[in-house]
Amino acid sequence: MTPFGPGGPVVGGAGPLEPGTVAHALEAVLDLAALSGGLAFEEWVARAGASPSWLRRMRDLSAPPACVEAFRRFGQAGGQVYGLAEGWCGDCAQVVPALARVCQQAGVSLRLFRRDADPGLREAHLTGGRAKIPLVVAVQPDPVRPGKLQEVGRFVERPALANARLREGDPTAYSGPQVTQALWGELVDLVDGRGEPWEVASPGGPIRAHLHLPRGVRPRACVVTAHGASYDQSHPLSRHFCQRLAQRGVAAVRFDFRFRTQSVPPSPDASAEAEQLQAVARAAMERLQLPPQALVLAGKSIGAVAAWRAAHELPVAAVVAFGPALHPPNRPGPGAEQLLAGLATPVLWFAARRDPYAEPSRVEQAFRSLPPGGQLVWLEDDHSLAASLQAVLDMAVSWVLQRT
């Protein structure tokens, strides 16, 4: 079967990045001017009406050397941290003093905002449609656009270990040194969330990957995400998707297709890419010892098509399709929607209205053929999804969490 018809690969060869694509950075919600409006920790505590115990907790804590060093390197590269919190919030009382302490030890600027004092700021930082706090964001200067910032990492609400304890009905979510250690680890991931380098063995040769694991807790599920034809695993969609999932208790793997590492064209029907995706998924599930129903596949463009193919061969809980390439650009003919026949897995489908690889009427018709439980999200964007990336990441992470 050749779902793309005689026109060749959906997205062309593994060449330069597509025009308009944010190749290596996720634009931060705040710019430098807005960031300067935040308060230092001590002043924020006084204005937010927080307990004096916040200051005592900050002074009593000492971040591990590895955490301090990660923040120091981040700060030396121009990195800063900001957060939204409130003085009455129990999670904030645990997290924010620790964050302030490591920033103080490493010499990194920390600016804090009251979530409820600025509705616009609150709405711009929703998590799954809710204003969860604390919400902490690491940013660095945009080297191309003066005054703009790039997001490096994000921490939401509480450590994954504390979330796991709450799901099990344990009211003492923060008790014991394990949670504190997990928090320090997640703060490292906030400023240096590259994950663990991992080489996956496969019949066609090794596959280069990175594994992002929750700190201090067994992962509740695993997401394997595949990049597009013009990207690699370092693209911000892959990197931030994996970092945010791990912080919420879900293991995540990103990897490079061989067409990227070997500088050859993708396969015309994404069959080779689907085989590589399956190899990574099987290796991840074996390594993590997770049940089959805990696997989610995700992909961008040709990576989404590979995920559809692989979902016919693997037991998966869901598929996340970021701008799947249905057909060659602006050309009719048989397309990748043929792969959806018989697919029994719910799909979260992000579709861009200006995507030349996915004509809107074909997208609508293809989505109607899918099983219930999925969602079609229309974006005012192009194939890169660059202008919508913050919203796409948040929706995708929330959807995965609801289904695992």
Side-chain angles (χ1 to χ4, degrees), residues 17 27 34 73 85 94 126 182 190 195 224 238 306 312 337 354 387:
L17 292 166
E27 184 175 354
R73 290 195 305 268
Q94 296 292 327
L126 296 179
L190 172 73
V224 180
S238 298
H312 285 284
E337 59 261 55
R354 302 190 305 278

Side-chain angles (χ1 to χ4, degrees), residues 33-397:
L35 181 63
S36 66
L39 302 176
F41 175 68
E42 292 82 359
E43 184 179 0
W44 184 91
V45 168
R47 293 201 186 184
S51 167
S53 64
W54 286 45
L55 298 174
R56 292 195 297 271
R57 173 169 166 76
M58 192 272 282
R59 289 192 294 266
D60 292 343
L61 287 168
S62 181
C67 187
V68 176
E69 180 57 28
F71 269 73
R72 182 174 291 117
R73 290 195 305 268
F74 171 69
Q76 289 172 346
Q80 301 184 63
V81 179
Y82 73 88
L84 278 65
E86 283 293 341
W88 48 260
C89 172
D91 290 308
C92 296
Q94 296 292 327
V95 173
V96 176
L99 174 67
R101 182 58 170 157
V102 69
C103 285
Q104 181 189 65
Q105 288 180 260
V108 172
S109 171
L110 170 64
R111 313 301 293 180
L112 295 171
F113 299 84
R114 288 192 59 198
R115 180 197 68 178
D116 298 339
D118 187 335
L121 188 67
R122 180 180 65 241
E123 293 300 309
H125 291 85
L126 296 179
T127 302
R130 299 174 60 190
K132 295 183 178 183
I133 51 174
L135 188 145
V136 182
V137 183
V139 295
Q140 63 187 11
D142 187 315
V144 177
R145 299 176 299 169
K148 297 293 184 180
L149 298 169
Q150 299 172 350
E151 182 170 327
V152 174
R154 181 172 290 216
F155 175 100
V156 179
E157 203 168 27
R158 62 181 72 92
L161 177 55
N163 273 324
R165 289 180 173 181
L166 288 175
R167 284 197 304 272
E168 295 167 358
D170 183 353
T172 59
Y174 284 97
S175 64
Q178 297 93 339
V179 178
T180 303
Q181 287 302 113
L183 174 58
W184 292 128
E186 291 192 15
L187 291 180
V188 170
D189 294 337
L190 172 73
V191 298
D192 184 11
R194 290 175 291 181
E196 172 192 337
W198 184 30
E199 189 172 88
V200 178
S202 74
I207 298 173
R208 188 173 61 195
H210 281 81
L211 174 63
H212 297 250
L213 290 172
R215 298 279 188 158
V217 64
R218 178 179 172 81
R220 56 196 274 192
C222 178
V223 176
V224 180
T225 185
H227 60 78
S230 297
Y231 317 133
D232 61 18
Q233 62 168 303
S234 69
H235 188 273
L237 176 58
S238 298
R239 286 189 292 110
H240 288 276
F241 190 40
C242 290
Q243 187 267 325
R244 292 188 189 189
L245 285 166
Q247 198 270 316
R248 307 300 295 279
V250 175
V253 184
R254 54 191 174 96
F255 69 98
D256 286 331
F257 283 130
R258 288 202 191 93
F259 67 71
R260 178 54 61 188
T261 57
Q262 298 177 3
S263 298
V264 297
S267 60
D269 59 359
S271 56
E273 289 69 37
E275 291 174 0
Q276 294 160 41
L277 176 55
Q278 290 176 57
V280 174
R282 289 193 175 100
M285 298 302 280
E286 180 179 356
R287 174 171 172 172
L288 299 173
Q289 292 295 292
L290 290 172
Q293 62 270 24
L295 174 63
V296 175
L297 301 180
K300 171 70 177 75
S301 190
I302 194 175
V305 178
W308 287 342
R309 271 191 172 276
H312 285 284
E313 306 297 330
L314 298 172
V316 298
V319 173
V320 181
F322 300 105
L326 292 185
H327 51 75
N330 303 311
R331 292 170 63 182
E337 59 261 55
Q338 296 179 48
L339 293 171
L340 301 177
L343 190 66
T345 303
V347 175
L348 173 62
W349 187 330
F350 291 99
R353 296 193 183 278
R354 302 190 305 278
D355 187 349
Y357 300 94
E359 199 277 323
S361 64
R362 290 177 66 167
V363 171
E364 295 279 2
Q365 182 177 359
F367 184 77
R368 286 194 293 269
S369 71
L370 291 170
Q375 184 178 355
L376 175 59
V377 179
W378 281 107
L379 304 167
E380 295 300 331
D381 209 333
D382 58 23
H383 185 65
S384 73
L385 307 185
S388 310
L389 204 49
Q390 284 283 6
V392 166
L393 284 164
D394 181 59
M395 285 187 280
V397 171

